[in-house]
Amino acid sequence: MKKILSITAFLALMLAFSCSQDDVSNPEPAAAIPSKVSVTDGRLVFPSVTIFNSTRKALSDATNDDLDNWESGFYEFKSQRSILNEILKKDEKHKEAIDNLPMEDALKLKETVGDDFYFDESVLSNKNLLDFDEDGIYSLKIEGYDQGIERFVNKKGLLQIGDSIYSYSKGFIRIIMNGDVSKLKTLDKYENSSVEDQITVLTVRREVISLPSQNGKILFNGTTDCTGYTSGGGQRVKGRAAAVYTTGSGVYGIYMYLHAWNEYHGVFGWRLKDTSQLNISGIIDYYVTTYPVNTVSDQLSIYATTNGQTVSSIRYDIYDTVSSSPIGYGLSGNLTYTGRHGSSCSL
């Protein structure tokens, strides 16, 4: 199993903290989670990057129920993970209710409310947190910005490690190095780091992987999304291979993730649907090449599954933090996304 170091932890290292890489292949039991984490103004505060890393490691294989139990121990803190889960549950009930209306009543509702009628109010009131695809399927804007970071940031995208306050928003990770909370009001105006103001800014670019064939290998070229339909039940599985590139202040990170999700076609369109039949499998080679020419590569046997949980999506993460600018990255091999009632698609 690869060593994995989150970009947040690596940032802390680069910016004067010290710790060692975490191997998430052997997560600690929940009882081993450090108890020194606190909450200030609705954001989690980790006394050090060491405690942040050990907490992240202990929760690496936690179920949603485990995470809910852990999070319930913090007064006035709600993570973006739990916010999204609440939205999904409410929106599922909303869409089911509309699908069960007589068509005449549903059409009247659409005429009265507009095109957003198929979304629950919880979706509409949290649009600032969500990205939507062409089918109206949504995910967090910070998805993929760092391994599991949605478990630790609040609705405002804030997290504190030591004296530094981290802010996650679409396209950026911003850090107030000295913890001066008065700078939160104007933090969004910073698009570049400022030594004078003690603000560090990283830009984050998320994109699907689209690369030509290389060295005789068939890479994921052209589309990196696939869709597979079931033989019945009106459901489908969708799969994606995507990359997140983070850079700024001498920090470079490449984070590739494989994402599968299950959808059901209601009367008025596709929507996420919980299932226990969802997995990602295959054997792939991945590589990251940095300037001038140094390549990190590995072959991975991929298998991600719901482990019996009822979920609407699963992900497999591949992360490498590098010390110089990446000039190339990619995946090759075969991946299969399998969903409900035998629906499957491959990349």
Side-chain angles (χ1 to χ4, degrees), residues 22 28 32-34 48-59:
D22 290 332
E28 298 177 23
I33 299 174
S48 68
V49 70
T50 301
I51 291 177
F52 172 73
N53 274 345
S54 57
T55 304
R56 185 175 59 88
K57 178 180 177 181
L59 294 172

Side-chain angles (χ1 to χ4, degrees), residues 133-134 137 139 143 206-209 220 224-227 238-243 256-261 280 314-316 331 335 337 345 347:
D133 69 12
E134 65 278 3
I137 304 299
S139 59
E143 178 183 301
R206 182 172 62 199
E207 57 190 23
V208 293
I209 301 167
F220 295 126
T224 52
D225 290 61
C226 68
T227 305
K238 296 196 74 174
R240 173 170 296 166
M256 292 177 274
Y257 64 95
L258 314 175
H259 191 184
W261 61 100
I280 307 170
I314 56 173
R315 236 178 41 217
Y316 186 96
L331 305 172
L335 283 170
Y337 302 83
C345 68
L347 288 173

Side-chain angles (χ1 to χ4, degrees), residues 109-182:
L109 180 64
K110 181 179 181 181
E111 183 179 348
T112 302
V113 177
D115 290 339
D116 286 338
F117 82 107
Y118 206 42
F119 292 112
D120 182 71
E121 176 58 31
S122 61
V123 177
L124 303 178
S125 62
N126 285 286
K127 275 190 170 182
N128 61 313
L129 299 180
L130 305 172
D131 272 337
F132 295 78
D133 69 12
E134 65 278 3
D135 292 320
I137 304 299
Y138 48 85
S139 59
L140 291 172
K141 288 183 177 180
I142 64 169
E143 178 183 301
Y145 278 26
D146 196 0
Q147 186 192 28
I149 199 64
E150 66 276 2
R151 302 174 174 187
F152 305 112
V153 298
N154 63 9
K155 185 173 182 176
K156 295 180 180 179
L158 300 178
L159 161 71
Q160 184 168 340
I161 302 176
D163 292 331
S164 300
I165 299 175
Y166 294 73
S167 171
Y168 288 78
S169 60
K170 187 170 184 177
F172 295 96
I173 302 173
R174 298 178 173 94
I175 307 101
I176 303 173
M177 300 305 303
N178 62 359
D180 183 353
V181 294
S182 68

